[in-house]
Amino acid sequence: MNNTVFVLADCNNFYVSCERVFDPSLDNKPVVVLSNNDGCVVSRSNEAKSLGIPMGAPYHKYEQVIKNNNVAVFSSNYQFYGDMSERVMDSLKIMNNSLEIYSIDEAFIRLKNPKNLNIFNKILTTRENVSKWTGIPMSFGIAHTKTLSKIANRIAKKKTNVGVFDIRQDDVCDKLIKKMPVEDIWGISVNWGIRLRSLGVSTIYDLKKSNPGFIKKNLGIVLERIVYELNGIPCLDLEESSPKKNIMSSKSFGKPIEDLKHIEEALSSYTSRACEKLRSQKSKCKGIYVFIKTNSFQPHRPQYRNGLSFEFELPTSDTRIIVSKAKEIMKIIYRKGFSFHKCGIILLDLVPENHKQSHFFAYNDNDSQEEFMNLVDNLNKSMGPKTLFYLSQGINKEWQMRSNNRSKRYTTKWSEILEVN
DNA sequence: TCTGGGGTCCTAGGACCC
DNA sequence: TCTGGGGTCCTAGGACCC
């Protein structure tokens, strides 16, 4: 048996928990947080889960249940959640060096040579400290591989009071996973569940006992790795922060839009956001992909979708260059007479910003461009997002997303700081 | 009326080469 | 008349994740 230990740390009902930190009257009450545009339910308190509101449910379908049960409803407030996430991750980092931030509310911790350590107690302390420092409740799963730590985490969340579960004992593990469906594994969803079941594999234990070669032949290398991981043989290591390879920014509009001018405004705004992210990870992009689509949830309406990519002569992170090219592409893919629902941009093939592959013919004015963009970024950082923005993003914003119940940005905006009376 | 947004990795198949 | 086999690279699309 290998000696490395992986711990998956996961925030409980993260967005709801964030809201509760600044409004304790929400404790023990049903609470949901909606996606952008108030579209779907993306975070639920345990009380809301008990009411049968599923993850990802369209809000409008559950509006009645929500009203009847006095469920508190919040629009998503990503500035706030992002900041709370940073606090949680920083807390984890103080206590554990090897950390992989896997998503806004999850991180893997790797403990090397943990022989002389009482891991369970160490993790209990970690959990207490995060709760004390940030107010966010977490669950922890301890195991020999990442895949098993995910399973341990699920058990910690559902079946323990302390929020920590160690699954390293083989007999303990086997007993539990005999009762768990194969779809409870990280990386196995409905589709693969169906194929596995057709091969006679229906529980996690069944998959653990499968022949890796047979699984590889029938389902590919990803599933084969999972079989090894279930047996305590790590195939996945910590992936310490690597820069993104693509950056996307897209949103559905607050209402259907036909006018090219409004679409261009929205696109400018999303592009500008994508470029900020690009520069903040110190990258440039070699190309872009721009797309537009009608609402596929309304199949009786005329449907249209299109997208087109473009490659720059030189990698760039200049908002002005990227916005103007994105708008050119939009003019090509746009068609008059459709009600559009969403558009977006993906920045492709990102390279480090100092990777200056000079092009013999291309005009190169990088330095003054970079100075200008830095100025804009710094100003927006210190004075608040969108202090300075491009006129092409529009003023009236016909396309602005719906966000009717957003809480205050308690931790990132002075004007919205919590007041105690 | 109202169904999110942002990622990663793998595979199959075509183009091309020797 | 005969028309291989093996390799690489690229891309689109599928599957998964939170």
Side-chain angles (χ1 to χ4, degrees):
Chain A
M1 185 55 76
N2 80 84
N3 202 17
T4 308
V5 170
F6 289 95
V7 182
L8 176 66
D10 189 320
C11 300
N12 300 345
N13 313 333
F14 182 55
Y15 301 160
V16 167
S17 298
C18 290
E19 299 293 350
R20 280 178 170 168
V21 170
F22 285 83
D23 184 356
S25 75
L26 299 169
D27 287 354
N28 305 314
K29 289 192 188 143
V31 183
V32 298
V33 175
L34 306 179
S35 64
N36 275 334
N37 246 330
D38 293 346
C40 304
V41 174
V42 291
S43 182
R44 305 157 296 154
S45 70
N46 292 344
E47 299 77 13
K49 288 177 190 172
S50 309
L51 291 172
I53 303 168
M55 181 66 179
Y59 173 53
H60 67 93
K61 279 196 186 166
Y62 286 84
E63 218 172 346
Q64 211 50 52
V65 181
I66 284 169
K67 281 196 177 128
N68 293 346
N69 294 280
N70 283 319
V71 180
V73 177
F74 290 89
S75 301
S76 48
N77 186 345
Y78 285 104
Q79 248 188 65
F80 173 44
Y81 307 147
D83 185 67
M84 290 299 283
S85 171
E86 257 181 58
R87 293 167 189 229
V88 169
M89 298 306 170
D90 286 347
S91 308
L92 290 173
K93 250 183 244 167
I94 290 172
M95 297 174 281
N96 304 279
N97 305 327
S98 298
L99 189 80
E100 172 190 342
I101 298 174
Y102 178 70
S103 73
I104 194 164
D105 68 340
E106 262 179 79
F108 288 100
I109 298 163
R110 187 185 53 206
L111 305 170
K112 279 239 160 121
N113 300 316
K115 266 187 222 153
N116 305 317
L117 212 61
N118 185 333
I119 296 178
F120 194 85
N121 283 344
K122 176 186 160 72
I123 297 299
L124 269 184
T125 309
T126 302
R127 182 175 187 273
E128 272 168 34
N129 286 341
V130 173
S131 164
K132 223 184 296 172
W133 298 340
T134 68
I136 300 292
M138 297 191 83
S139 301
F140 293 79
I142 303 167
H144 280 300
T145 65
K146 278 179 152 182
T147 304
L148 286 168
S149 74
K150 274 275 197 180
I151 294 171
N153 187 283
R154 176 183 275 265
I155 295 165
K157 202 163 277 180
K158 295 198 168 171
K159 309 220 160 145
T160 70
N161 296 320
V162 291
V164 179
F165 187 74
D166 186 340
I167 203 169
R168 285 175 299 160
Q169 290 279 358
D170 243 352
D171 47 339
V172 175
C173 176
D174 285 356
K175 200 173 154 202
L176 287 160
I177 64 175
K178 274 180 186 165
K179 290 188 212 137
M180 297 173 77
V182 75
E183 291 88 353
D184 280 0
I185 300 173
W186 180 43
I188 296 187
S189 184
V190 191
N191 263 286
W192 275 358
I194 292 169
R195 290 176 63 188
L196 281 165
R197 280 162 195 280
S198 77
L199 297 170
V201 175
S202 56
T203 67
I204 300 183
Y205 182 78
D206 292 341
L207 188 59
K208 176 178 175 178
K209 292 295 168 191
S210 300
N211 177 330
F214 172 79
I215 294 293
K216 182 178 182 182
K217 200 168 140 236
N218 285 281
L219 295 138
I221 195 170
V222 179
L223 266 281
E224 185 198 23
R225 281 204 284 254
I226 290 177
V227 175
Y228 283 119
E229 287 251 320
L230 289 175
N231 282 281
I233 302 161
C235 301
L236 308 167
D237 202 357
L238 228 52
E239 288 173 29
E240 276 153 290
S241 68
S242 51
K244 301 257 178 292
K245 296 170 182 172
N246 299 301
I247 289 175
M248 164 148 78
S249 180
S250 78
K251 271 187 199 65
S252 30
F253 310 129
K255 60 181 186 188
I257 298 284
E258 291 185 22
D259 191 354
L260 175 62
K261 185 172 154 271
H262 292 141
I263 291 169
E264 285 184 347
E265 283 179 13
L267 180 65
S268 296
S269 184
Y270 306 162
T271 301
S272 166
R273 177 75 194 113
C275 291
E276 279 172 20
K277 288 196 242 173
L278 180 68
R279 292 190 296 269
S280 76
Q281 75 158 38
K282 302 199 182 308
S283 298
K284 295 188 173 187
C285 69
K286 285 161 70 175
I288 58 176
Y289 176 80
V290 174
F291 64 90
I292 185 165
K293 53 188 285 200
T294 50
N295 190 345
S296 54
F297 287 104
Q298 299 185 334
H300 51 283
R301 291 268 189 78
Q303 294 291 315
Y304 175 78
R305 61 193 301 167
N306 202 354
L308 192 63
S309 54
F310 175 82
E311 203 172 316
F312 293 110
E313 281 187 26
L314 280 172
T316 180
S317 61
D318 188 310
T319 301
R320 294 162 299 178
I321 294 173
I322 299 175
V323 165
S324 96
K325 184 50 76 177
K327 283 164 69 178
E328 264 177 51
I329 296 175
M330 185 51 79
K331 283 194 174 71
I332 299 169
I333 61 178
Y334 169 83
R335 291 289 177 281
K336 216 174 158 58
F338 290 95
S339 269
F340 288 101
H341 172 246
K342 181 177 188 171
C343 75
I345 182 166
I346 307 176
L347 309 180
L348 305 165
D349 300 325
L350 310 191
V351 293
E353 65 182 3
N354 52 14
H355 165 99
K356 289 197 178 165
Q357 176 202 31
S358 62
H359 189 291
F360 195 71
F361 297 105
Y363 168 61
N364 191 336
D365 188 23
N366 272 324
D367 292 343
S368 65
Q369 283 173 16
E370 274 164 28
E371 256 172 53
F372 177 76
M373 296 315 309
N374 281 336
L375 195 74
V376 176
D377 287 342
N378 287 334
L379 202 73
N380 283 337
K381 218 184 215 168
S382 57
M383 309 289 286
K386 298 191 184 157
T387 302
L388 212 60
F389 64 94
Y390 298 87
L391 197 56
S392 61
Q393 295 171 23
I395 307 280
N396 292 330
K397 305 200 171 160
E398 293 281 319
W399 41 271
Q400 190 84 326
M401 72 171 182
R402 290 183 301 275
S403 180
N404 295 325
N405 303 292
R406 203 192 59 214
S407 52
K408 293 187 172 173
R409 288 160 287 195
Y410 303 105
T411 60
T412 56
K413 228 173 153 67
W414 286 112
S415 57
E416 299 185 12
I417 202 163
L418 189 67
E419 287 175 28
V420 181
N421 298 311

